[in-house]
Amino acid sequence: MREAVNLSEGEWTPDAIAHALPTPDMRMEFWRQLNLTAFGELEALGARWLKVIEDLQTGVERAREVSAYQREHGGALPSEYTDVTELITERRVA
């Protein structure tokens, strides 16, 4: 994911939002929605996409923390996590 973008709420532009999104598909979807949204609903659309960016940035930071924990603890997950790898593998095989 791209580096976190730290803009105050008043500094965000459609271009800044698009550049903060990590994948071409997400950027394309943002532009599509922006172009199809009525003027009166643009502020709400921007707020939704800013929330997406915030959630992604929070997730990236948490993933870095978990990765660091795993490096320090031989690959073990922090106690608040449950390893579901086997459940996923079983479902794919079934």
Side-chain angles (χ1 to χ4, degrees):
M1 172 158 201
R2 298 171 179 206
E3 284 299 311
V5 177
N6 294 316
L7 296 174
S8 69
E9 197 165 314
E11 295 174 324
W12 283 100
T13 64
D15 187 62
I17 291 171
H19 279 89
L21 295 169
T23 68
D25 287 343
M26 289 182 83
R27 289 188 289 280
M28 193 168 22
E29 179 59 20
F30 166 71
W31 287 120
R32 186 189 74 73
Q33 288 182 18
L34 182 73
N35 286 315
L36 296 175
T37 298
F39 283 117
E41 298 172 17
L42 287 174
E43 187 174 343
L45 177 72
R48 284 193 306 272
W49 279 98
L50 290 178
K51 177 75 171 116
V52 167
I53 293 166
E54 179 182 295
D55 290 349
L56 287 168
Q57 289 174 344
T58 299
V60 166
E61 183 55 36
R62 185 62 183 138
R64 288 180 179 140
E65 292 168 3
V66 170
S67 179
Y69 180 93
Q70 287 184 298
R71 281 192 303 275
E72 294 173 14
H73 296 89
L77 287 169
S79 60
E80 66 267 23
Y81 287 87
T82 303
D83 186 347
V84 295
T85 304
E86 288 183 27
L87 293 172
I88 294 169
T89 304
E90 289 173 9
R91 288 186 183 152
R92 287 188 179 164
V93 172

